[in-house]
Amino acid sequence: MQLPFSSPSHRLCTAPMMDWTDRHARYFFRLFSPKLWVYTEMVTTGALLYGGNPNRFLNYSVEEHPIALQLGGNQPELLAECAKMAEAWNYDEVNLNLGCPSPRVSSGSFGACLMRERTLVAECVKTMSEACGLPITVKCRLGIDYDDDYEFLAQLVEEVGKAGCHTWIIHARKAWLTGLNPKQNRDIPPLDYERVYRLKRDFPQYQIIVNGGIQTLEEGLRHIEQCDGIMLGRAAYQNSSILLDADNFCEDRFETRLSSNDFLNERYAIAKTYGSYLEQQLKLGVAFRTITRPVLSLFNGCSGARVFRRTLSDFSGTPTHAQALDLWHQALAKMVNPD
């Protein structure tokens, strides 16, 4: 039986991260590989439908494909309207957030707390699927608070899967909605990858992507033996060079791993391409710090990396267009002829 997965495969994904995975970060990630799936920050239905400027949330560079729009909300009709907007903007997937533990999100009755409302989630997914032709996927936790046994998760997947969700991204730790803040929820509840693996065994008809705590693609290879893909969050943002092996990972050919010198050459080539993008964005009035923030970790571990980061971030005021380009070229020169 052919599985109803999105194409290309979700073997390697970068996570939706509020205040981090903006369009500049996604464009930067895409330079590492055409095979990555990239996800937007979570956008609420209210922001899209009533915020007055949907372009602010929906516009992206065509190079970002394949790209998924992550939505936050709990009203099927509103989510369906947003799914239709995603289709009109030529997104490749719509992802429903059932994992955010933020008190602000929970107060709106969406995010992780929705895991308790599986019949409502199923209705949301069904209504969204009927409204547009895009795949509707779900990102969730293992559980929430004391609703954290395997049966709780399996019942959610079974009911919502029948409604049309065939790809699940599972953050392999539960969420504590009381007593822990969102930052603590990224680290304190223990990871339980075995539970995600069991979910794949019990629901082989679905694509199961594991997320949470994965620091390297070498670690990812172990997960791929049990699941269909991995999702990288902070690891990709804080040490983006791990994505240099993205194509090898996606094609399961790590025997062709690059040498350290090739890694430096590859990083420099990515920086050169990103420099052209930076110049375009500066002409559109985007702030220099906003454009350069995603690239700060590109040369981590290389001689000159600290000066590269300092040149791009340690300046006062708002540089003019010419000053911004000069800063960029100064920083890049440190990686060609590091002190």
Side-chain angles (χ1 to χ4, degrees), residues 14 22 27 37 45 78 81 113 117 133 141 211 244 246-247 252 259 280 291 318 325 333:
T14 57
D22 59 17
Y27 179 89
W37 270 91
T45 54
L78 300 186
E81 286 300 312
C113 68
E117 307 291 338
R141 296 280 186 132
N211 169 231
L244 286 166
D247 281 350
D252 198 18
S259 71
Q280 295 170 1
I291 312 169
T318 302
L325 289 180

Side-chain angles (χ1 to χ4, degrees), residues 153-162 168 170 199 203 206:
L153 177 63
Q155 289 170 3
L156 174 71
V157 171
E158 181 174 15
E159 186 166 346
V160 179
K162 291 177 181 177
W168 292 80
I170 311 294
L199 197 69
F203 296 92
Y206 298 145

Side-chain angles (χ1 to χ4, degrees), residues 238-274:
Q238 295 171 354
N239 186 24
S240 57
S241 63
I242 67 174
L243 296 175
L244 286 166
D245 250 336
D247 281 350
N248 286 343
F249 182 85
C250 291
E251 297 172 11
D252 198 18
R253 53 180 178 85
F254 266 85
E255 69 276 5
T256 60
R257 186 179 306 282
L258 300 172
S259 71
S260 58
N261 287 334
D262 287 332
F263 270 136
L264 180 57
N265 293 338
E266 290 289 315
R267 297 185 212 207
Y268 185 73
I270 288 171
K272 290 283 286 185
T273 302
Y274 195 77

Side-chain angles (χ1 to χ4, degrees), residues 14-15 17 29 213-217 219 231-243 297 300:
T14 57
M17 293 180 284
F29 288 155
I214 304 171
Q215 298 299 314
T216 68
L217 294 186
E219 290 179 31
M231 175 174 276
L232 299 176
R234 285 169 290 162
Y237 204 98
Q238 295 171 354
N239 186 24
S240 57
S241 63
I242 67 174
L243 296 175
S297 71
N300 283 3

Side-chain angles (χ1 to χ4, degrees), residues 277-314:
Y277 173 79
L278 177 144
E279 187 167 5
Q280 295 170 1
Q281 294 299 309
L282 286 172
K283 291 177 180 177
L284 295 174
V286 182
F288 182 68
R289 289 186 191 274
T290 300
I291 312 169
T292 56
R293 187 175 65 160
V295 79
L296 293 178
S297 71
L298 175 60
F299 291 103
N300 283 3
C302 298
S303 177
R306 182 175 298 178
V307 180
F308 174 81
R309 293 192 300 269
R310 185 184 306 131
T311 303
L312 293 180
S313 55
D314 291 354

